[in-house]
Amino acid sequence: MSGMTDLGLPENILACLFDLDGVISRTAAVHAAAWKQAFDAFLRERDGADFRPFTDADYAEYVDGRPRVDGVRTFLASRGVGLPLGAPDDPPGTATVHGLARRKNELFLERIRSGGVEAYEGTLRYIEAARADGLRTAVVSASANCRDVLHALDAEHLFDARVDGVVAAERHLPGKPHPDTFLAAARDLGVPPGRAAVFEDALAGMDAGRAGRFGYVVGVDRVGRSAALYAHGADRVVTDLAELTGEPREPGER
Ligand SMILES: [Mg+2]
């Protein structure tokens, strides 16, 4: 593609909109560890000598990618355990689906606040390079914990705007795959969508980028599904943002 900058973006791009989990932060392992702690405490108390711990395979099969409450239900069903749903304000650790979900979130927050989360360094360097080139930057995430994660990574200063789960709720914005949170971020930056680039690792994020008619959509492939990212509208797929600046592109590569 002609007219690309040193950042690997079309020359008319003025702003970059970054997803958090999987693009900026390596939060997947922290989520898995918090789930294990919450479930193991519950199961140990319930099953005593018959206790079987929550495993990585359990995480991949029953919890990863699902809404928090669905993850609790799906995993417990796999062990033949039924719990009452309870209410969203059940105290963390209550023997209900909501109580376990809240305990998991509490443990997740404790971990990220005590330094248990890492950044993708290639992304941080890319954001610094983009800002040095005069581009505006925003973080766009469904997470209500976005601020805590950015604070833990000491990365808050890298963004001119933040549209996260808290902001989306305040402004009544539907989440991805709807484009509304990305559109709000572009508006906050004063840049039309056609002159903003989206950086996402989720298929729903690709859909949002296409639906919002953004100028460029970069799919970040950490798990080997680049074909699916392209199918959902990526203009280019990379395994790390360092590829956008560092390596010469092959002839014909998008
Ligand atoms: Mg993500």
Side-chain angles (χ1 to χ4, degrees), residues 16-46:
C16 296
L17 314 177
F18 298 92
D19 173 46
L20 179 69
D21 186 12
V23 174
I24 299 168
S25 60
R26 300 175 186 265
T27 1
V30 188
H31 284 293
W35 277 118
K36 178 171 175 57
Q37 193 176 343
F39 280 135
D40 281 356
F42 169 76
L43 293 170
R44 192 175 278 118
E45 177 162 334
R46 179 181 186 277

Side-chain angles (χ1 to χ4, degrees), residues 51-74:
F51 164 68
R52 277 192 298 135
F54 179 79
T55 66
D56 289 348
D58 289 327
Y59 178 72
E61 186 153 1
Y62 305 117
V63 176
D64 187 24
R66 298 177 198 262
R68 206 181 299 153
V69 164
D70 294 349
V72 175
R73 268 198 294 231
T74 310

Side-chain angles (χ1 to χ4, degrees), residues 21 84 87 96 104 121 142 179 227:
D21 186 12
T96 63
K104 181 269 171 176
E121 292 299 327

Side-chain angles (χ1 to χ4, degrees), residues 2-243:
S2 64
M4 303 296 274
T5 68
D6 290 347
L7 291 165
L9 299 175
E11 284 170 348
N12 69 341
I13 295 296
L14 297 174
C16 296
L17 314 177
F18 298 92
D19 173 46
L20 179 69
D21 186 12
V23 174
I24 299 168
S25 60
R26 300 175 186 265
T27 1
V30 188
H31 284 293
W35 277 118
K36 178 171 175 57
Q37 193 176 343
F39 280 135
D40 281 356
F42 169 76
L43 293 170
R44 192 175 278 118
E45 177 162 334
R46 179 181 186 277
D47 298 337
D50 295 329
F51 164 68
R52 277 192 298 135
F54 179 79
T55 66
D56 289 348
D58 289 327
Y59 178 72
E61 186 153 1
Y62 305 117
V63 176
D64 187 24
R66 298 177 198 262
R68 206 181 299 153
V69 164
D70 294 349
V72 175
R73 268 198 294 231
T74 310
F75 167 64
L76 292 181
S78 80
R79 297 289 180 95
V81 178
L83 272 189
L85 177 61
D89 61 352
D90 282 354
T94 305
T96 63
V97 170
H98 278 293
L100 272 180
R102 281 195 76 190
R103 178 63 180 145
K104 181 269 171 176
N105 196 48
E106 187 176 70
L107 291 166
F108 174 78
L109 290 173
E110 281 175 14
R111 283 169 184 271
I112 61 172
R113 285 171 184 156
S114 61
V117 63
E118 293 175 12
Y120 286 103
E121 292 299 327
T123 298
L124 297 188
R125 285 196 302 273
Y126 185 88
I127 296 171
E128 283 164 359
R131 293 176 66 83
D133 274 9
L135 298 184
R136 309 264 289 156
T137 55
V139 57
V140 181
S141 170
S143 175
N145 300 321
C146 180
R147 267 185 106 159
D148 292 285
V149 172
L150 291 180
H151 183 76
L153 297 176
D154 193 22
E156 290 161 300
H157 64 287
L158 293 176
F159 302 98
D160 302 302
R162 172 177 49 85
V163 178
D164 61 9
V166 176
V167 173
E170 285 169 1
R171 299 197 202 169
H172 306 290
L173 301 172
K176 307 160 190 177
H178 297 285
D180 302 60
T181 50
F182 281 114
L183 291 170
R187 197 160 49 239
D188 287 354
L189 296 178
V191 171
R195 304 195 69 178
V198 167
F199 298 77
E200 254 286 352
D201 69 327
L203 302 181
M206 299 293 99
D207 295 336
R210 181 154 60 185
R213 299 177 179 276
F214 289 92
Y216 201 64
V217 178
V218 176
V220 182
D221 177 26
R222 311 286 190 195
V223 293
R225 59 173 176 198
S226 68
L229 291 166
Y230 277 123
H232 282 256
D235 292 300
R236 176 145 184 226
V237 175
V238 295
T239 57
D240 191 278
L241 298 200
E243 285 172 44

